Amino acid sequence: MCGRFGFSIPPRRAWEYFQLADMRGFETRRNIPPGTDIPVIVLDDDDPSRRVLRFFHWGLVPSWADDPKIGYKLINARGETAPDKPAFRNAFARRRCLIPADRFYEWEKRPDGTKQPYAITMADHSPFAMAGLWEHWTKPDGEELFSATILTTEANELVAHVHDRMPVILAPEDYGRWLAPDADPESLRELIRPYPAEGMALVQVSTRVNDPKNQDIGPEQCLLT
């Protein structure tokens, strides 16, 4: 799963790396929990050749939902089954997004019952994009809610030290393919796979990450690469 991540990429770096045409409302946070607004990259409605950064609610609310609280259960979608599940099927076919990050977090349970948090990053500390889906839901009062979920897959050898699942991390050359509105959903299934372990690092971080209010989260010790 992926229940916490960070996006602390400088604006210029994000603009260039993700080839963005607009960064409305840009902000960075090192400790992003579910139920808050997260950065997503989608294609511009007016010009699908442009990638734009927006902020959507983390926890997907399907268009047919009666209650937006369903989003709390849909912060992640299993990539292997998302194309077929009612909650995700339409979004997988038509509303895919990139979720930019520079880390995600997992917790390892210790023999004494405590949990040690880790940040999983790229080995070279570069930004990356997780595969996401988004939805548009209209509240009874007419207000619009845009929401998103992060796709997950089985963990690679590195992440498996702390969890059996990890977010689907896309290679930069696949960003355009994932976002393309005319992409065959069936052909996208091959992108649902673990990112190579040799390209990532597992880093111990302070237990201050346990509280989402704390944003001063940095690596303390690199344990495994």
Side-chain angles (χ1 to χ4, degrees):
M1 65 174 294
C2 178
R4 197 82 62 84
F5 72 98
F7 175 66
S8 57
I9 306 163
R12 173 60 66 176
R13 175 66 166 144
W15 178 281
E16 295 174 348
Y17 187 85
F18 295 109
Q19 301 176 23
L20 299 173
D22 182 77
M23 300 170 62
R24 190 179 307 168
F26 183 90
E27 67 172 340
T28 60
R29 286 182 290 161
R30 291 185 174 187
N31 192 3
I32 304 175
T36 62
D37 288 348
I38 62 173
V40 301
I41 296 171
V42 295
L43 297 182
D44 191 339
D45 287 337
D46 298 324
D47 183 355
S49 68
R50 292 162 33 106
R51 297 178 190 172
V52 296
L53 182 76
R54 298 290 184 260
F55 284 82
F56 292 176
H57 180 82
W58 186 7
L60 190 128
V61 181
S63 59
W64 44 258
D66 295 324
D67 189 336
K69 291 181 180 179
I70 191 175
Y72 289 106
K73 300 179 180 179
L74 302 179
I75 65 169
N76 290 158
R78 292 180 69 92
E80 300 89 342
T81 58
D84 308 309
K85 293 289 186 180
F88 307 117
R89 184 171 53 226
N90 288 338
F92 192 93
R94 302 181 182 89
R95 290 177 289 278
R96 297 177 298 276
C97 61
L98 304 175
I99 299 177
D102 60 2
R103 71 192 76 181
F104 65 94
Y105 300 102
E106 291 295 353
W107 282 256
E108 178 188 37
K109 189 172 182 178
R110 295 284 181 83
D112 62 1
T114 61
K115 293 183 178 181
Q116 172 60 53
Y118 291 85
I120 297 92
T121 69
M122 294 293 104
D124 62 359
H125 306 293
S126 62
F128 58 90
M130 301 178 286
L133 308 176
W134 68 273
E135 274 286 7
H136 173 219
W137 186 77
T138 303
K139 300 179 182 180
D141 63 4
E143 184 180 351
E144 296 179 312
L145 174 67
F146 291 87
S147 61
T149 188
I150 296 173
L151 293 182
T152 66
T153 186
E154 62 183 86
N156 62 26
E157 298 91 335
L158 180 72
V159 178
H161 284 280
V162 290
H163 204 280
D164 61 356
R165 303 286 294 177
M166 67 180 290
V168 174
I169 297 174
L170 299 169
E173 58 267 26
D174 291 323
Y175 293 171
R177 179 182 173 191
W178 182 256
L179 291 174
D182 58 352
D184 175 15
E186 285 301 311
S187 73
L188 296 175
R189 289 178 184 261
E190 65 185 59
L191 300 180
I192 309 301
R193 59 196 178 204
Y195 193 86
E198 59 269 21
M200 306 186 76
L202 183 66
V203 183
Q204 183 178 0
V205 295
S206 167
T207 54
R208 286 180 55 78
V209 75
N210 296 348
D211 186 344
K213 295 179 181 177
N214 295 327
Q215 295 295 320
D216 57 338
I217 308 301
E220 294 182 338
Q221 178 186 3
C222 185
L223 299 182
L224 297 168
T225 57

